[in-house]
Amino acid sequence: MVRIHVKAAAAEAEEQQFLYSCSCDSSIADLADAILEIYNLQAWIQALCVHVRQYLLTDAFRENCAGVADVLDRTLSEAGTYASKEQVLHQRFLSSHFLRDHIQTIEKEVKIARSRGLPESNTQITTFTPELHKDVQLIWAGKELSRGKRLCDYIGGNEKTKITIKLKLGCEDLENRMVTNVQEENDICLQLVPCASHAYCLG
């Protein structure tokens, strides 16, 4: 399998990188969709961890419900570690399946904590619309990979090839909007890069 080190093209998105593997016969269209899904789920977990720790896990809740807070904290740590760019250093590949599992576990533990007094929040986590996906570009060796071709058209048929691909988001300002805290009239909205058609609200 070809080993692909995926990085965000935007310098501000240094945390957004991971390893992915696929056959050299894979279509660029399928590769782009798979990489974008993992990229978005990785960003989603990172945003959830920041949100829950900063706005929900208050000192008062930690003091009154130490056991529940510890479980939630540990859940966040495990998810954050799995989604971290440090996995690249350990030569570990990210899986959209496991990323989704971590997100579901966080949501489950938040619900449990809420039943024990975890404070409500007016913070909503939203995503950009999926229509923005069409302009996503994969860049390798300074060239854009065409969705009408296969990976082997660029790198040949060696399944042991290792390459680095940069993910470039189509809209001009998206590359600078990885996970941004926007404060408007005491409402805090975490904005993420294009993801699936759903949006989550923890508040």
Side-chain angles (χ1 to χ4, degrees), residues 6-110:
V6 179
K7 294 182 176 181
E12 294 83 357
E14 174 64 23
E15 293 299 317
Q16 294 301 117
Q17 54 179 291
F18 55 89
L19 294 181
Y20 179 76
S21 66
C22 67
S23 167
C24 61
D25 193 45
S26 300
S27 71
I28 299 302
D30 289 343
L31 177 61
D33 290 345
I35 284 177
L36 183 61
E37 180 182 24
I38 292 175
Y39 180 88
N40 285 320
L41 290 171
Q42 182 187 46
W44 189 253
I45 285 179
Q46 291 169 352
L48 283 174
C49 290
V50 170
H51 168 66
V52 174
R53 284 201 171 103
Q54 188 168 354
Y55 300 109
L56 301 182
L57 271 178
T58 63
D59 291 340
F61 181 76
R62 290 179 183 276
E63 182 177 349
N64 296 329
C65 301
V68 176
D70 286 345
V71 172
L72 182 53
D73 220 355
R74 185 165 59 251
T75 298
L76 295 173
S77 295
E78 290 174 353
T81 297
Y82 182 79
S84 169
K85 68 177 183 179
E86 299 302 317
Q87 297 294 351
V88 175
L89 299 178
H90 298 297
Q91 305 296 311
R92 295 170 182 164
F93 299 86
L94 291 194
S95 160
S96 59
H97 173 74
F98 289 119
L99 288 167
R100 289 183 184 279
D101 280 351
H102 278 294
I103 291 172
Q104 291 174 359
T105 301
I106 291 173
E107 292 173 340
K108 174 185 174 183
E109 294 302 330
V110 166

